[in-house]
Amino acid sequence: MGLPMSDPTAWATAMNNLGMAPMGMTGQPLLPDEVKHVVVRCFDKTTMSKMNTHHLSRHPDFDPALGMMTGIPPINPMMPGLGIVPPPIPPDMPAVKEIIHCKSCTLFPPNPHLPPPATRERPPGCKTVFVGGLPENGTEQIIMEVFEQCGEVIAIRKSKKNFCHIRFAEEFMVDKALYLSGYRIRLGSSTDKKDTGRLHVDFAQARDDLYEWECKQRMLAREERHRRRLEEERFHPPSPPPVVHYSDHECSIVAEKLKDDTKFSEAVQTLLTWIERGEVNRRTANNFYSMIQSANSHIRRLVNEKAAHEKEMEEAKEKFKLALSGILVQFEQIVAVYHSASKQKAWDHFTKAQRKNISVWCKQAEEIRNIHNDELMGIRREEEMEMSDEEIEDPSEMKETDESALVSQVEALKEENDSLRWQLDAYRNEVELLKQEHGKASRDEDTTKEQQLKLLQQALQGMQQHLLKVQDEYKKREAELEKVKEDKLKIEALLETLKEQVCDFLILSYSSAVNAVLALHGL
C-alpha cells in the first residue's frame, strides 16, 4: 500500500477508495452492518482529503479516530475524467452528492431530498450538453476547468445570457456532465450574485452529433450487409464454368459429347451458347448442322425413356391395386370375426367392457375397410376413364372390350354388394344389441335408446334401398351382358353365312371360267 500503518485516516481512506471495507489494526471491520447504506461519489482521488472535516465532525456517524463517517459503506466511487462508468444505485439507497473544489470555483451539491432535475429526451448520438445557470462573471476557462473532469471537451460555445453548449469527444461523457445538474457554483470565495449560479445541465441536439451518428449507423449497416453477403455466398452453389470459344477442335469435342447420354446436357448448353453468339456462318454451317442432327437423334432415346418410366408407373399402380385388394380381403375377414363374435351364441359370454371394446373395434375396422374400398373403386374408375376410342378399331374388338368392361363392372358391383351386406349385418347386430339393452336400461335412458334405435332403423332403411338399387343395376348389367353375347353369336353366324356365300360364288365363277376355256378350245 505504501502508507504508514500509524496513520489510521490515510489507511481508511485508501481502503475506501479501493472498494474494501476499512479494517482495524486487529483485523476487525470498523463499519457496523445495521447502519443504513449511503452512496458517496467523488470526482477525483484527492476529494476525500479535501473534504471539510469541520463539517463532518458535526455528523453523528463521524469517527474522529478514522477521520471518516462510519455509516458509509465502501464502494468504488466514480472517477470523472478516468472513463469509469458509475455503478447502478439501488432504489433504497439515496445518493448524497458532495462538495467539489476546483482551482477557480467551488461546486456545492443540491438538497438530496429534492427530486432530480428534469431532462429532455436524449437525441441519437448525443455528445453535446446545454449548461444553463452560469454566473455572469463565468468565463470559458472556468467552464473548461469544471467540465473537463467529465472527459475531453472538443468545443465550448458560450452565450452572453449565462448559458453555453459543450461538445464532448464521446457519448458516455455526457452522462458524467449531467451529474453536475443542480449544483450551485461559486467563483472563488465571493458571494456576489454575479459570481454565483445554479447549474442546469441537459441534453442538446446538434447537427454534428446527428451527422456522426448517421455516418456510424450507415457504416454499421454496410458492415452488416457485407457480413450477410459473405454468409449467403458461403451457401451459394459455385458458378458454372464459362463456355469456351468456338473452334474446330472444340466443335469435335462437343459433337462427341452430344452422342454421350451422360454429357448431353453440357454439350447442348455449349451448342446453344455458340448459336446465340453468332458462330454459325458458311464455313461452320455443316458442323453445326451435324451437331443439331445429333441433338435431334437424342429425342428418340428420351421418348423410349419416358415410355419405360410410364411402364414402371403402370406396374407400380397394378402392384398397389393388388396389394390393396389383399388388404381389403383381410379387412373383410377381420370384420367377419367381429360379426361372428357379436352373435348371441358368443356375445353372452363376454363382459360388458369386452363387448364395448369389440363393438368399437368393429366400427373402426368397417370405417377403414370402407375407405380402402372407395379408394380401390376410384382407381378402377380412373382406369375405365383412361380407355380412349382410338384403341377400339374393329367391331369384334369393341365387343370384346365392352364385354370385359361389363365383367369388371359386374365384379365391382358384386364387391360393393358384399360390403353393403356386411354393413347391413353390422347394423342389424347393433339394433339387436340396442333392443337387448333397451329392456335392462332405466327410464332415463329409454329416450336416448329410442332415438338411437330410430337413427339405426333409418340408416338400415337407407342401406336396404341402396342395396336394392345396386341389385337392380346388377340385373341390368347382366341383361346387357346377355344381350352382348347374343349379338356376338348373331355376328358370328352372319360371318359364317357370308363365308359360305363367298365360297359358293368362287366355285360358280371358277366353273364358268373353266367352261368358257373349254368352249374356246372346241372341247
Side-chain angles (χ1 to χ4, degrees):
M1 298 293 294
L3 293 173
M5 296 297 292
S6 60
D7 189 358
T9 304
W11 173 259
T13 304
M15 295 292 287
N16 190 27
N17 289 336
L18 291 173
M20 300 170 61
M23 307 292 289
M25 298 304 172
T26 60
Q28 298 295 327
L30 298 176
L31 299 179
D33 296 336
E34 63 273 7
V35 180
K36 187 178 181 180
H37 293 272
V38 180
V39 179
V40 178
R41 296 182 178 181
C42 58
F43 255 68
D44 52 13
K45 294 181 179 179
T46 60
T47 305
M48 282 295 242
S49 61
K50 292 181 180 179
M51 292 179 64
N52 193 343
T53 56
H54 176 69
H55 295 287
L56 290 176
S57 62
R58 298 179 183 179
H59 200 277
D61 294 333
F62 181 76
D63 190 355
L66 298 176
M68 61 181 295
M69 290 189 293
T70 59
I72 302 174
I75 61 170
N76 290 326
M78 183 184 73
M79 302 295 181
L82 299 178
I84 300 176
V85 180
I89 302 174
D92 58 346
M93 291 186 180
V96 178
K97 298 182 180 180
E98 58 188 28
I99 300 173
I100 301 172
H101 296 277
C102 299
K103 293 180 180 179
S104 304
C105 61
T106 306
L107 300 177
F108 297 92
N111 189 353
H113 300 289
L114 293 177
T119 57
R120 61 180 294 180
E121 185 179 357
R122 182 169 190 154
C126 179
K127 297 181 182 179
T128 306
V129 293
F130 166 83
V131 182
L134 294 171
E136 294 183 7
N137 295 332
T139 60
E140 290 188 6
Q141 289 77 14
I142 296 174
I143 297 171
M144 178 69 75
E145 182 182 351
V146 173
F147 285 95
E148 69 179 355
Q149 302 178 75
C150 301
E152 181 183 355
V153 177
I154 295 178
I156 296 177
R157 294 188 294 274
K158 189 176 182 303
S159 176
K160 297 178 180 180
K161 296 183 179 182
N162 303 332
F163 70 89
C164 68
H165 288 85
I166 303 174
R167 188 164 190 263
F168 293 98
E170 299 295 338
E171 295 183 21
F172 70 90
M173 301 175 183
V174 174
D175 298 324
K176 295 182 179 182
L178 289 176
Y179 179 78
L180 297 176
S181 184
Y183 268 81
R184 290 179 290 108
I185 184 172
R186 186 178 67 185
L187 302 182
S189 59
S190 174
T191 57
D192 191 5
K193 186 176 181 181
K194 294 183 179 181
D195 295 331
T196 60
R198 185 180 296 275
L199 298 179
H200 174 68
V201 185
D202 198 355
F203 299 108
Q205 190 170 4
R207 288 180 295 179
D208 295 339
D209 297 344
L210 182 62
Y211 176 73
E212 289 183 2
W213 181 79
E214 290 176 350
C215 292
K216 186 177 180 181
Q217 295 299 317
R218 284 195 293 269
M219 182 184 69
L220 294 175
R222 284 195 299 270
E223 292 177 355
E224 180 66 18
R225 287 196 300 270
H226 179 67
R227 187 187 62 79
R228 289 182 181 178
R229 193 184 306 114
L230 292 178
E231 290 292 333
E232 291 174 357
E233 288 177 356
R234 286 177 57 191
F235 297 101
H236 280 176
S239 301
V243 178
V244 297
H245 293 282
Y246 176 81
S247 64
D248 294 337
H249 177 67
E250 295 294 338
C251 179
S252 61
I253 294 174
V254 171
E256 292 296 329
K257 287 183 179 180
L258 288 171
K259 298 176 183 179
D260 190 357
D261 297 338
T262 59
K263 301 178 181 179
F264 178 78
S265 299
E266 179 185 355
V268 165
Q269 186 63 34
T270 304
L271 177 60
L272 177 62
T273 306
W274 284 349
I275 294 174
E276 290 179 351
R277 285 179 182 176
E279 300 288 347
V280 182
N281 50 40
R282 290 185 179 180
R283 186 179 65 84
T284 61
N286 294 330
N287 295 334
F288 277 99
Y289 178 77
S290 62
M291 288 189 289
I292 294 170
Q293 190 175 7
S294 300
N296 183 48
S297 62
H298 195 75
I299 295 174
R300 190 182 303 113
R301 188 192 67 82
L302 295 176
V303 172
N304 295 334
E305 186 177 353
K306 179 178 176 293
H309 288 306
E310 289 178 351
K311 186 177 179 181
E312 291 178 0
M313 184 176 66
E314 293 296 333
E315 291 176 355
K317 283 184 179 180
E318 191 66 26
K319 187 177 179 181
F320 173 72
K321 189 170 67 174
L322 293 174
L324 191 59
S325 301
I327 291 171
L328 282 174
V329 171
Q330 295 179 10
F331 268 116
E332 294 292 344
Q333 293 173 354
I334 295 171
V335 172
V337 170
Y338 290 143
H339 289 164
S340 62
S342 301
K343 291 181 180 179
Q344 192 73 26
K345 183 170 59 178
W347 189 255
D348 294 337
H349 299 285
F350 295 114
T351 63
K352 190 173 182 180
Q354 291 173 349
R355 293 175 185 176
K356 185 177 180 182
N357 290 334
I358 291 172
S359 60
V360 170
W361 295 340
C362 183
K363 289 180 182 178
Q364 291 177 354
E366 287 176 352
E367 290 176 358
I368 298 171
R369 191 242 354 243
N370 294 335
I371 291 170
H372 286 74
N373 193 10
D374 294 339
E375 187 176 359
L376 182 61
M377 294 297 294
I379 293 172
R380 288 176 176 173
R381 291 193 196 99
E382 289 178 359
E383 290 178 353
E384 292 173 3
M385 290 174 64
E386 287 177 357
M387 296 178 62
S388 60
D389 297 334
E390 296 178 357
E391 297 176 354
I392 304 171
E393 295 181 355
D394 51 2
S396 60
E397 293 180 357
M398 182 178 65
K399 295 293 182 181
E400 291 177 359
T401 53
D402 290 341
E403 185 178 354
S404 62
L406 289 171
V407 170
S408 62
Q409 289 179 2
V410 168
E411 291 177 356
L413 289 172
K414 283 182 180 179
E415 292 178 359
E416 188 175 358
N417 190 11
D418 294 337
S419 64
L420 291 172
R421 191 173 299 163
W422 284 113
Q423 292 179 8
L424 186 60
D425 293 338
Y427 282 120
R428 284 176 181 171
N429 293 330
E430 290 181 2
V431 170
E432 290 176 0
L433 291 174
L434 288 174
K435 286 180 180 179
Q436 293 175 3
E437 294 178 358
H438 182 69
K440 299 177 183 179
S442 62
R443 294 180 180 179
D444 297 335
E445 297 178 354
D446 288 343
T447 56
T448 58
K449 295 296 183 180
E450 288 177 0
Q451 292 178 358
Q452 292 180 358
L453 186 61
K454 287 180 181 179
L455 292 174
L456 289 172
Q457 287 177 354
Q458 292 176 1
L460 183 62
Q461 291 176 1
M463 296 295 294
Q464 288 177 352
Q465 292 177 1
H466 186 62
L467 182 61
L468 291 174
K469 289 181 182 179
V470 171
Q471 289 177 353
D472 293 339
E473 189 175 357
Y474 176 68
K475 291 179 181 179
K476 289 180 182 179
R477 296 292 183 182
E478 285 185 345
E480 290 178 0
L481 184 60
E482 293 294 332
K483 187 177 179 181
V484 168
K485 288 181 179 179
E486 291 176 0
D487 293 340
K488 184 178 179 181
L489 293 174
K490 289 179 181 180
I491 290 171
E492 289 178 355
L494 184 60
L495 287 174
E496 291 294 332
T497 55
L498 288 174
K499 286 180 181 178
E500 291 177 359
Q501 290 178 3
V502 168
C503 290
D504 294 339
F505 177 74
L506 290 174
I507 291 169
L508 290 175
S509 60
Y510 180 74
S511 60
S512 61
V514 170
N515 293 329
V517 171
L518 292 175
L520 288 174
H521 290 282
L523 299 176

